[in-house]
Amino acid sequence: MIGLLQRVMRNVRGAEPAIGYEESKRLAASAEAADRRTLARHSQLRPELLYYLASDGDAEVRAAVAANEATPVQADLILARDGDEKVRIDLARKIARLTPGLSAEQHDRLREMTYEVLGILVRDQVPRVRQVIAEVLKDVADAPPAVIRSLARDSEIVVAEPVLQFSPVLTDEDLLEIIRSSPIPGALAAIARRARVPADVADAIGASPDAAAIAALLENPSAQIREETLDRLVERAPDFTAWHRPLVLRPLLPKNAARKLACFVASNLLTLLAERRDLDPGTIKEVRSVVMRRLGTEEKARPPAAAPKPSGARPAGSEALARARKLNSSGALSESVVVTALGNDRNFARAALAVLGNLPLEVVDRVLGAHSAKGVTALAWRCGLSMRAAVRVQVQLGQIPPAAALQPRNDGRYPMTEEAMRWQLEFFGDIASEPARS
């Protein structure tokens, strides 16, 4: 029996030089703890000697026995109740790794004893012991169901989270039962991040008061969220800004949800919403209308820019347009003139873009006011500017953070296709599809 237990529990790692029985007995009785530790680590040691060393007075010796895959299960039962935390952690790591390999065809008594060791460790008072088991078994398909369910309901999130997020052993009913039981903080978010979140489970998370779990659910593209559930979350979303971005980016966003989101998400998300290509034409038109109305309202609500100092006052409005038109008619309105104006005459720079792009000044302001890197890049393309100048326009006129600005391709050209840039311009107004000049 002992020989059978040793053969089953041993993980073959390549032959280790055997130690003679008499030499083994001598080292086991040595007064030097270092001798006994070396012996306890040996994968070819006879099981009776490992059983003997499981009660050694030195904790490091017992830890070596606990980690040794040749140790008989009877010794593991002793070590599972060891007073030293490290001993139990090393044992937990080994037992969790070996348990899934015990098939039903193997010795019933061996399986029972191994599961008994595992059961003791799963109830250990030290969270780290239970955590080690959870981390090893989290993605094991044939892990003992009772152990997995116990770990999933653990009082410590560091123990429960790996199993809740990854374990294939947990059924949909298991997950629903855990959700209904008012689990510990973080448990619902772990379930929401699973690779497969069925509709019933998503409904239950969506109906909960756990805002962080709902955010995780919305961020999970594989979560199956019914349209009715999504609509309810959109209704609640104005109070939870963390939901806004994942809702705007949610795959297969229902048209009702898209219309509602356009009414309250932040300006930087409005352009993302309007750029979605999976909505029907009617919904796109409605969303664009709401987006443009909001952008226009927000632009008017901004406090006026500080008045320029009296000395060297710059032309604004119609005066700036007249100057830009005059320069353009003489062929002097070049890219370098626009780039120079970006740093010292924003009013003229805006007017120059309007003239070069053959656009109303209001449309130029609408594009710049949206703070969209794609939109401003398309505007620069329309005006015949180089992509290098387009980066300056994004940052200095569009107020786009440098890290978020679109950059030229390796060959210096625009990173967007002409079709994509035309689409951007069409979004901001009824604009002719061709740029003013090449």
Side-chain angles (χ1 to χ4, degrees):
M1 174 67 175
I2 296 296
L4 172 65
L5 294 175
Q6 182 182 22
R7 284 195 302 275
V8 174
M9 293 299 291
R10 180 182 301 122
N11 181 25
V12 179
R13 300 178 292 187
E16 188 174 0
I19 302 180
Y21 185 60
E22 292 303 321
E23 176 66 6
S24 299
K25 285 172 59 179
R26 184 188 70 77
L27 291 172
S30 171
E32 297 294 329
D35 291 340
R36 304 197 304 278
R37 290 171 198 159
T38 300
L39 188 66
R41 296 187 191 102
H42 204 284
S43 64
Q44 303 294 322
L45 193 63
R46 293 173 67 98
E48 59 267 32
L49 288 175
L50 285 165
Y51 183 87
Y52 170 76
L53 291 172
S55 300
D56 195 276
D58 185 89
E60 289 189 38
V61 173
R62 301 196 305 276
V65 175
N68 194 330
E69 293 176 12
T71 299
V73 183
Q74 295 94 327
D76 288 336
L77 280 167
I78 295 172
L79 295 167
R81 297 180 174 88
D82 196 278
D84 190 277
E85 178 180 326
K86 184 181 184 307
V87 173
R88 303 198 305 280
I89 289 173
D90 286 352
L91 178 63
R93 188 175 288 110
K94 178 187 74 177
I95 291 294
R97 187 173 63 251
L98 296 178
T99 297
L102 297 174
S103 67
E105 290 73 31
Q106 287 175 319
H107 199 286
D108 286 345
R109 179 57 182 155
L110 169 62
R111 294 177 73 239
E112 288 174 12
M113 292 175 70
T114 304
Y115 286 1
E116 184 180 351
V117 174
L118 194 59
I120 295 169
L121 295 171
V122 165
R123 297 189 298 273
D124 198 286
Q125 292 185 353
V126 176
R128 179 58 184 154
V129 176
R130 308 193 303 274
Q131 181 184 359
V132 164
I133 298 174
E135 289 173 348
V136 174
L137 294 181
K138 67 182 181 183
D139 51 5
V140 176
D142 56 349
V147 171
I148 294 298
R149 292 188 188 107
S150 175
L151 293 168
R153 292 167 173 79
D154 199 276
S155 60
E156 297 287 341
I157 191 60
V158 292
V159 178
E161 184 175 27
V163 172
L164 288 173
Q165 183 172 348
F166 297 107
S167 179
V169 176
L170 293 173
T171 65
D172 294 354
E173 281 305 314
D174 289 330
L175 297 173
L176 287 170
E177 186 182 331
I178 291 169
I179 293 170
R180 296 186 196 111
S181 67
S182 301
I184 58 174
L188 264 62
I191 295 173
R193 289 191 290 267
R194 288 176 71 88
R196 174 185 168 273
V197 182
D200 288 346
V201 174
D203 287 347
I205 295 172
S208 77
D210 192 331
I214 293 172
L217 182 73
L218 294 171
E219 289 168 358
N220 185 346
S222 66
Q224 299 172 25
I225 307 177
R226 291 189 177 97
E227 185 170 338
E228 299 81 3
T229 298
L230 206 56
D231 279 341
R232 286 194 293 271
L233 293 177
V234 170
E235 292 289 343
R236 296 171 56 190
D239 295 328
F240 299 98
T241 54
W243 300 359
H244 294 185
R245 186 176 183 84
L247 276 169
V248 166
L249 299 177
R250 184 78 202 159
L252 303 176
L253 186 68
K255 57 185 180 182
N256 244 359
R259 292 190 196 104
K260 292 174 183 175
L261 286 169
C263 295
F264 62 80
V265 297
S267 297
N268 62 316
L269 297 178
L270 279 176
T271 50
L272 290 177
L273 184 63
E275 288 170 4
R276 290 187 67 114
R277 309 301 290 270
D278 58 343
L279 300 173
D280 63 84
T283 303
I284 289 176
K285 186 175 180 180
E286 288 184 49
V287 169
R288 287 183 183 179
S289 175
V290 174
V291 169
M292 296 319 303
R293 186 167 61 249
R294 282 196 55 202
L295 289 175
T297 302
E298 289 168 12
E299 185 69 23
K300 289 176 185 177
R302 286 181 187 163
K309 295 180 180 180
S311 57
R314 302 297 182 187
S318 58
E319 292 181 16
L321 279 170
R323 180 183 167 203
R325 287 175 183 140
K326 184 177 179 181
L327 285 172
N328 191 49
S329 65
S330 65
L333 188 59
S334 63
E335 178 175 302
S336 61
V337 170
V338 176
V339 170
T340 301
L342 291 174
N344 58 26
D345 196 342
R346 289 172 55 87
N347 281 329
F348 176 72
R350 289 165 48 244
L353 292 178
V355 171
L356 288 173
N358 192 24
L359 298 170
L361 188 57
E362 311 85 78
V363 172
V364 171
D365 286 341
R366 198 182 300 155
V367 176
L368 297 174
H371 309 297
S372 164
K374 292 181 180 178
V376 177
T377 298
L379 173 64
W381 169 77
R382 164 83 183 197
C383 296
L385 303 181
S386 69
M387 185 56 206
R388 190 169 183 177
V391 176
R392 299 277 300 272
V393 175
Q394 289 177 75
V395 174
Q396 293 179 262
L397 275 189
Q399 298 178 342
I400 294 161
L406 293 185
Q407 299 296 323
R409 296 188 334 194
N410 289 339
D411 59 5
R413 298 172 66 187
Y414 277 76
M416 299 165 63
T417 65
E418 290 192 5
E419 180 187 1
M421 289 189 285
R422 289 191 187 100
W423 188 92
Q424 288 288 329
L425 293 171
E426 287 167 7
F427 165 66
F428 287 101
D430 187 11
I431 301 173
S433 60
E434 293 302 324
R437 62 182 195 178
S438 59

